[in-house]
Amino acid sequence: QLQLVESGGGLVQPGGSLRLSCAASGSTFHYYTIGWFRQAPGKEREGVSCISSSGHMTNYVDSVKGRFSISRGNAKNTVYLQMNSLKPEDTAVYYCAAGEDIDFCSVPEAMVYWGKGTLVTVSS
């Protein structure tokens, strides 16, 4: 069993930055691929970025490439999402999730454990 808790969301102006954290409880954290997803009002949940269990493989949705960066600290049981140059269209609830296969880590149905989300609002 793995429990995930997101933090770091908030209100930021366009062009600003935030760093989201996903803290996990459970000794098996380092076995899992971790993905960040987001869901804006009235829209489907989409995969934003994910990182393999080793941290050596990452991927990003096209809309955030060059602006967001994912990393993990297995010793701290934490995955981070650094978000720079934020845009109003990045406004959403951001969730982290754990899965077993990085090839499917952007597919919500493939993820096994979920956090409850943290709200990011980008607005002037």
Side-chain angles (χ1 to χ4, degrees), residues 48-93:
V48 175
S49 179
C50 50
I51 188 166
S52 63
S53 58
S54 67
H56 293 156
M57 296 175 62
T58 61
N59 59 37
Y60 301 88
V61 68
D62 286 347
S63 59
V64 308
K65 284 181 180 177
R67 300 189 297 123
F68 290 12
S69 177
I70 192 170
S71 60
R72 72 187 292 161
N74 282 341
K76 295 183 178 180
N77 276 18
T78 304
V79 170
Y80 306 97
L81 185 68
Q82 178 67 43
M83 307 187 296
N84 299 326
S85 302
L86 283 161
K87 304 175 181 180
E89 51 264 43
D90 294 318
T91 295
V93 177

XYZ file of all heavy atoms in Angstrom, residues 48-93:
347
model
N 0.741 14.901 -17.234
C 1.634 16.044 -17.418
C 3.082 15.591 -17.549
O 3.798 16.004 -18.469
C 1.502 17.026 -16.242
C 2.513 18.159 -16.360
C 0.077 17.569 -16.162
N 3.499 14.737 -16.637
C 4.889 14.308 -16.623
C 4.997 13.053 -15.776
O 4.175 12.834 -14.886
C 5.781 15.408 -16.021
O 7.132 15.004 -15.969
N 6.006 12.233 -16.054
C 6.246 11.107 -15.164
C 7.718 10.733 -15.165
O 8.495 11.166 -16.029
C 5.359 9.917 -15.488
S 5.323 9.423 -17.180
N 8.080 9.975 -14.154
C 9.464 9.613 -13.927
C 9.526 8.146 -13.521
O 8.697 7.669 -12.754
C 10.098 10.547 -12.864
C 11.595 10.324 -12.747
C 9.403 10.412 -11.515
C 12.316 11.439 -11.980
N 10.522 7.451 -14.067
C 10.652 6.028 -13.782
C 11.085 5.800 -12.339
O 11.507 6.725 -11.634
C 11.676 5.411 -14.734
O 12.958 5.976 -14.519
N 11.018 4.550 -11.915
C 11.377 4.204 -10.541
C 12.824 4.576 -10.227
O 13.141 4.993 -9.112
C 11.142 2.717 -10.295
O 11.891 1.938 -11.220
N 13.715 4.433 -11.202
C 15.124 4.771 -10.994
C 15.391 6.262 -11.112
O 16.444 6.741 -10.684
C 15.981 4.044 -12.026
O 15.702 4.543 -13.324
N 14.469 6.979 -11.727
C 14.684 8.399 -11.980
C 15.409 8.679 -13.274
O 15.614 9.843 -13.631
N 15.773 7.635 -14.003
C 16.577 7.831 -15.213
C 15.745 8.167 -16.444
O 16.279 8.661 -17.434
C 17.400 6.572 -15.492
C 18.445 6.327 -14.459
N 18.974 5.067 -14.198
C 19.057 7.157 -13.590
C 19.872 5.157 -13.240
N 19.938 6.405 -12.845
N 14.467 7.875 -16.399
C 13.607 8.147 -17.548
C 12.502 9.104 -17.136
O 11.882 8.938 -16.083
C 12.994 6.853 -18.081
C 14.002 5.871 -18.639
S 13.232 4.320 -19.122
C 12.109 4.888 -20.396
N 12.282 10.111 -17.963
C 11.212 11.065 -17.726
C 10.483 11.345 -19.036
O 11.040 11.154 -20.124
C 11.744 12.393 -17.168
O 12.645 12.972 -18.123
C 12.472 12.199 -15.843
N 9.254 11.796 -18.915
C 8.587 12.303 -20.108
C 7.613 13.413 -19.726
O 7.280 13.582 -18.538
C 7.910 11.194 -20.915
C 6.867 10.441 -20.140
O 6.127 11.003 -19.339
N 6.772 9.144 -20.388
N 7.233 14.180 -20.729
C 6.409 15.367 -20.512
C 5.393 15.494 -21.651
O 5.705 15.179 -22.805
C 7.272 16.630 -20.500
C 8.343 16.648 -19.446
C 9.610 16.111 -19.697
C 8.092 17.190 -18.182
C 10.594 16.109 -18.721
C 9.071 17.192 -17.206
C 10.314 16.657 -17.480
O 11.283 16.654 -16.511
N 4.235 15.999 -21.301
C 3.280 16.353 -22.347
C 3.832 17.570 -23.096
O 4.557 18.403 -22.524
C 1.884 16.635 -21.733
C 1.903 17.899 -20.909
C 0.819 16.665 -22.795
N 3.523 17.668 -24.378
C 4.130 18.717 -25.200
C 3.907 20.119 -24.649
O 4.787 20.983 -24.746
C 3.569 18.638 -26.630
C 4.131 17.473 -27.421
O 5.130 16.874 -26.979
O 3.571 17.159 -28.484
N 2.759 20.355 -24.049
C 2.415 21.703 -23.609
C 3.271 22.206 -22.452
O 3.272 23.410 -22.164
C 0.932 21.776 -23.221
O 0.651 20.866 -22.183
N 4.012 21.324 -21.788
C 4.840 21.762 -20.656
C 6.330 21.556 -20.894
O 7.141 21.930 -20.044
C 4.425 21.062 -19.338
C 2.934 21.211 -19.093
C 4.855 19.603 -19.312
N 6.693 20.984 -22.024
C 8.111 20.741 -22.305
C 8.884 22.056 -22.298
O 8.461 23.051 -22.869
C 8.271 20.045 -23.652
C 7.920 18.570 -23.616
C 8.108 17.919 -24.978
C 7.741 16.443 -24.926
N 7.844 15.794 -26.254
N 10.028 22.040 -21.627
C 10.854 23.230 -21.528
C 10.465 24.142 -20.379
O 11.198 25.081 -20.064
N 9.313 23.881 -19.764
C 8.861 24.723 -18.649
C 8.792 23.946 -17.332
O 9.041 24.508 -16.277
C 7.473 25.300 -18.953
C 7.417 26.158 -20.197
C 6.052 26.879 -20.305
N 4.934 25.956 -20.442
C 3.896 25.925 -19.599
N 3.850 26.748 -18.560
N 2.906 25.083 -19.813
N 8.430 22.679 -17.390
C 8.294 21.858 -16.193
C 9.432 20.854 -16.124
O 9.955 20.400 -17.157
C 6.978 21.077 -16.228
C 5.724 21.897 -16.056
C 5.741 23.288 -16.126
C 4.519 21.269 -15.806
C 4.584 24.031 -15.964
C 3.354 21.988 -15.642
C 3.385 23.372 -15.733
N 9.786 20.490 -14.907
C 10.849 19.503 -14.704
C 10.468 18.596 -13.540
O 10.129 19.085 -12.457
C 12.171 20.211 -14.413
O 13.188 19.275 -14.147
N 10.558 17.298 -13.775
C 10.213 16.324 -12.738
C 11.486 15.695 -12.190
O 12.457 15.482 -12.930
C 9.255 15.242 -13.307
C 8.664 14.397 -12.193
C 9.960 14.383 -14.357
C 7.535 13.471 -12.661
N 11.497 15.418 -10.896
C 12.640 14.772 -10.274
C 12.140 13.960 -9.091
O 11.015 14.154 -8.626
C 13.678 15.802 -9.829
O 13.130 16.702 -8.881
N 12.985 13.067 -8.614
C 12.585 12.286 -7.454
C 13.772 12.073 -6.532
O 14.913 11.976 -6.977
C 11.979 10.948 -7.868
C 12.912 9.893 -8.416
C 12.120 8.683 -8.931
N 11.468 7.955 -7.861
C 10.450 7.108 -8.050
N 9.974 6.903 -9.278
N 9.919 6.458 -7.030
N 13.456 12.023 -5.257
C 14.434 11.704 -4.235
C 13.972 10.472 -3.507
O 13.158 10.574 -2.588
N 14.453 9.331 -3.925
C 13.963 8.081 -3.331
C 14.289 7.984 -1.848
O 13.538 7.388 -1.083
C 14.520 6.874 -4.081
C 13.780 6.620 -5.385
O 12.665 7.101 -5.582
N 14.394 5.869 -6.274
N 15.384 8.588 -1.443
C 15.725 8.562 -0.023
C 14.707 9.332 0.799
O 14.492 9.039 1.975
C 17.125 9.127 0.196
N 14.071 10.305 0.167
C 13.072 11.120 0.859
C 11.652 10.704 0.505
O 10.693 11.328 0.935
C 13.266 12.595 0.517
C 14.580 13.177 1.009
C 14.662 14.663 0.688
C 15.948 15.263 1.228
N 16.035 16.726 0.906
N 11.514 9.667 -0.315
C 10.175 9.229 -0.738
C 9.366 10.380 -1.319
O 8.175 10.528 -1.023
C 9.399 8.593 0.425
C 9.730 7.134 0.607
O 10.746 6.648 0.108
N 8.874 6.426 1.327
N 9.997 11.188 -2.135
C 9.325 12.381 -2.653
C 9.632 12.565 -4.141
O 10.745 12.312 -4.584
C 9.773 13.637 -1.896
O 9.527 13.448 -0.494
C 8.998 14.865 -2.354
N 8.614 12.995 -4.876
C 8.769 13.401 -6.265
C 8.377 14.864 -6.370
O 7.410 15.294 -5.739
C 7.906 12.535 -7.192
C 7.865 13.116 -8.602
C 8.438 11.115 -7.243
N 9.143 15.604 -7.155
C 8.907 17.026 -7.313
C 8.525 17.358 -8.749
O 8.954 16.698 -9.692
C 10.179 17.812 -6.951
C 10.721 17.504 -5.592
C 11.748 16.579 -5.421
C 10.192 18.128 -4.460
C 12.243 16.283 -4.158
C 10.683 17.842 -3.196
C 11.710 16.921 -3.050
O 12.194 16.627 -1.804
N 7.730 18.397 -8.886
C 7.426 18.947 -10.204
C 7.707 20.443 -10.146
O 6.956 21.192 -9.519
C 5.980 18.687 -10.613
C 5.628 19.123 -12.035
C 6.357 18.246 -13.059
C 4.119 19.071 -12.271
N 8.816 20.844 -10.745
C 9.162 22.258 -10.827
C 8.467 22.846 -12.038
O 8.667 22.386 -13.163
C 10.679 22.426 -10.948
C 11.138 23.866 -11.083
C 10.888 24.678 -9.824
O 11.130 24.201 -8.717
N 10.387 25.902 -9.993
N 7.659 23.868 -11.797
C 6.881 24.476 -12.869
C 7.294 25.932 -13.030
O 7.127 26.734 -12.105
C 5.379 24.383 -12.550
C 4.902 22.972 -12.231
S 3.118 22.841 -12.069
C 2.837 23.880 -10.650
N 7.861 26.249 -14.169
C 8.305 27.610 -14.483
C 7.497 28.194 -15.624
O 6.818 27.462 -16.355
C 9.791 27.595 -14.852
C 10.668 27.085 -13.727
O 10.394 27.296 -12.552
N 11.747 26.399 -14.098
N 7.580 29.490 -15.789
C 6.884 30.189 -16.882
C 5.417 29.767 -16.953
O 4.895 29.444 -18.026
C 7.585 29.901 -18.222
O 8.933 30.298 -18.183
N 4.769 29.786 -15.816
C 3.389 29.304 -15.748
C 2.448 30.189 -16.552
O 2.631 31.411 -16.648
C 2.939 29.215 -14.299
C 3.495 27.995 -13.546
C 3.417 28.191 -12.047
C 2.739 26.740 -13.962
N 1.452 29.526 -17.121
C 0.457 30.194 -17.951
C -0.933 29.976 -17.356
O -1.149 28.988 -16.640
C 0.482 29.598 -19.360
C 1.838 29.639 -20.044
C 1.798 28.926 -21.384
C 3.152 28.940 -22.067
N 3.122 28.244 -23.385
N -1.876 30.844 -17.667
C -3.243 30.636 -17.155
C -3.801 29.258 -17.504
O -4.541 28.678 -16.697
C -4.032 31.764 -17.828
C -3.020 32.850 -18.022
C -1.740 32.144 -18.366
N -3.436 28.729 -18.645
C -3.940 27.409 -19.039
C -3.341 26.259 -18.229
O -3.756 25.115 -18.371
C -3.725 27.158 -20.532
C -2.307 27.398 -21.021
C -2.129 28.787 -21.622
O -2.640 29.773 -21.031
O -1.459 28.876 -22.681
N -2.371 26.559 -17.371
C -1.842 25.544 -16.459
C -2.707 25.410 -15.204
O -2.472 24.523 -14.381
C -0.411 25.888 -16.032
C 0.571 25.836 -17.183
O 0.491 24.893 -17.995
O 1.419 26.753 -17.267
N -3.684 26.286 -15.056
C -4.568 26.231 -13.897
C -5.326 24.914 -13.863
O -5.980 24.533 -14.837
C -5.559 27.406 -13.933
O -4.831 28.633 -13.796
C -6.582 27.288 -12.811
N -5.213 24.211 -12.739
C -5.850 22.904 -12.601
C -5.567 22.365 -11.204
O -4.733 22.912 -10.479
C -5.296 21.916 -13.635
N -6.248 21.299 -10.860
C -5.856 20.492 -9.706
C -4.811 19.503 -10.196
O -5.034 18.805 -11.197
C -7.052 19.761 -9.087
C -6.592 18.879 -7.932
C -8.102 20.764 -8.612
